[in-house]
Amino acid sequence: MEALFTLDDVSFDYDGIPALRGVRLTIAKGERIALVGANGSGKSTLLRMLDGLYLPSSGSIFFQKEALTQRSLNDAEFNARFRRAVSLVFQNPDVQLFNPTVFDEIAFGPLQLGLSQEEVLRRVNATMNSMNLDGLRERPPYRLSGGEKKKVALASVLVMDPEVLLLDEPTAALDPRSQSRVVDLIQDWKSTTKTIITATHQLEMLEEIADIVYVMDSGAIIATGTPTSILADTELLLRANLVHEHRHKHGSTMHSHPHLHKHSHDA
């Protein structure tokens, strides 16, 4: 399959503190990928790297065989092509919401593409309807609940119809129905050429949202496999702090059982 992203020995530091360490990764067009790991494992940093928000401290990252560098991102033609193709939904929606109303927020991206007014309206109305946001049309985003903000942030990216969708904990703070919509979206894209990369700690979603799973720990990729194989490797999940053991006493005998260990934030 066509290589979309290639990371060659990529490392990244925050003020001298390692966040990614020697990441080697090739992402093909049309793949559904999940990045899993505990707090500080590097999932969010890797997503920002793929979105061109961070550049490697060492190593190289390529998008469609062209290096992502400050020089290439400063090139108007390349930057426009890259930004049209790749979109990131942040874990914290407050980072990306800045318009006066929900409608303006969702319309902002399509307006930057130079689309006709009719096409912008069509896209916005269709996206708001699919995300059940019609009732929030004139509401200011800053006055929404956490879950509502999350849905608006997601809608503001989906309306752009990107080739590559990067999702950082997309179901966090969402009600079950909205979580189900996000999962349905990812499943719907399985039969398309679109690429979707999801950072999540919700192991129970993996088989529904991904074909390939990368397990991260301390800024490095420590395992790769199918959702089924990763979920079956209890030792790996314990080592990556994705599950933890509970001890139970039955009579005079002590038993240990692995349990899901949920995390809500990442570096």
Side-chain angles (χ1 to χ4, degrees):
M1 290 187 287
E2 177 187 345
L4 197 62
F5 285 101
T6 304
L7 283 74
D8 184 11
D9 199 22
V10 167
S11 295
F12 182 80
D13 296 345
Y14 289 105
D15 298 324
I17 301 173
L20 290 179
R21 299 183 295 112
V23 174
R24 297 182 183 275
L25 178 63
T26 299
I27 297 172
K29 186 174 182 179
E31 286 187 323
R32 299 189 312 158
I33 290 171
L35 306 174
V36 299
N39 284 1
S41 63
K43 304 190 303 293
S44 295
T45 300
L46 182 51
L47 286 184
R48 285 166 171 76
M49 193 76 64
L50 296 173
D51 195 45
L53 297 179
Y54 296 161
L55 296 174
S57 302
S58 63
S60 302
I61 179 170
F62 299 86
F63 174 70
Q64 295 179 334
K65 299 182 179 180
E66 186 161 353
L68 276 181
T69 63
Q70 196 59 62
R71 181 175 180 178
S72 65
L73 291 171
N74 285 340
D75 179 78
E77 182 178 345
F78 175 81
N79 189 65
R81 177 165 60 88
F82 180 72
R83 295 302 172 198
R84 187 184 291 253
V86 182
S87 293
L88 168 65
V89 179
F90 290 87
Q91 180 177 346
N92 179 4
D94 289 322
V95 172
Q96 67 186 89
L97 302 180
F98 59 90
N99 281 285
T101 69
V102 168
F103 176 86
D104 292 329
E105 194 69 60
I106 299 172
F108 180 83
L111 287 171
Q112 309 315 304
L113 299 180
L115 302 174
S116 68
Q117 182 177 1
E118 291 77 12
E119 176 61 13
V120 171
L121 285 172
R122 186 195 69 77
R123 287 196 185 195
V124 173
N125 288 333
T127 303
M128 291 185 71
N129 182 261
S130 69
M131 296 294 294
N132 197 28
L133 292 170
D134 293 304
L136 304 179
R137 191 181 187 92
E138 300 303 323
R139 293 273 300 279
Y142 73 89
R143 298 190 64 180
L144 301 178
S145 69
E148 289 169 339
K149 288 179 181 179
K150 192 84 172 186
K151 290 169 66 175
V152 173
L154 182 58
S156 71
V157 168
L158 295 180
V159 73
M160 300 283 287
D161 193 28
E163 295 176 29
V164 183
L165 183 60
L166 309 172
L167 300 172
D168 195 354
E169 301 289 358
T171 58
L174 292 181
D175 59 81
R177 183 179 180 186
S178 298
Q179 288 186 23
S180 179
R181 286 174 187 245
V182 173
V183 171
D184 288 344
L185 163 77
I186 297 172
Q187 291 178 326
D188 287 345
W189 276 17
K190 183 174 183 178
S191 59
T192 73
T193 59
K194 294 183 183 293
T195 305
I196 187 159
I197 305 167
T198 308
T200 183
H201 64 274
Q202 294 184 275
L203 300 183
E204 64 271 20
M205 292 172 48
L206 290 186
E207 293 181 314
E208 296 181 277
I209 68 170
D211 302 310
I212 303 171
V213 179
Y214 293 95
V215 181
M216 300 190 68
D217 183 44
S218 301
I221 294 174
I222 63 170
T224 306
T226 64
T228 301
S229 66
I230 295 296
L231 291 171
D233 193 338
T234 303
E235 182 178 340
L236 169 66
L237 298 178
L238 285 166
R239 179 157 58 99
N241 201 27
L242 285 164
V243 298
H244 67 284
E245 288 190 328
H246 279 172
R247 298 185 183 277
H248 307 278
K249 190 172 184 180
H250 301 284
S252 60
T253 305
M254 187 71 75
H255 296 278
S256 295
H257 306 283
H259 292 264
L260 291 180
H261 185 31
K262 297 189 176 184
H263 304 270
S264 58
H265 301 286
D266 188 27

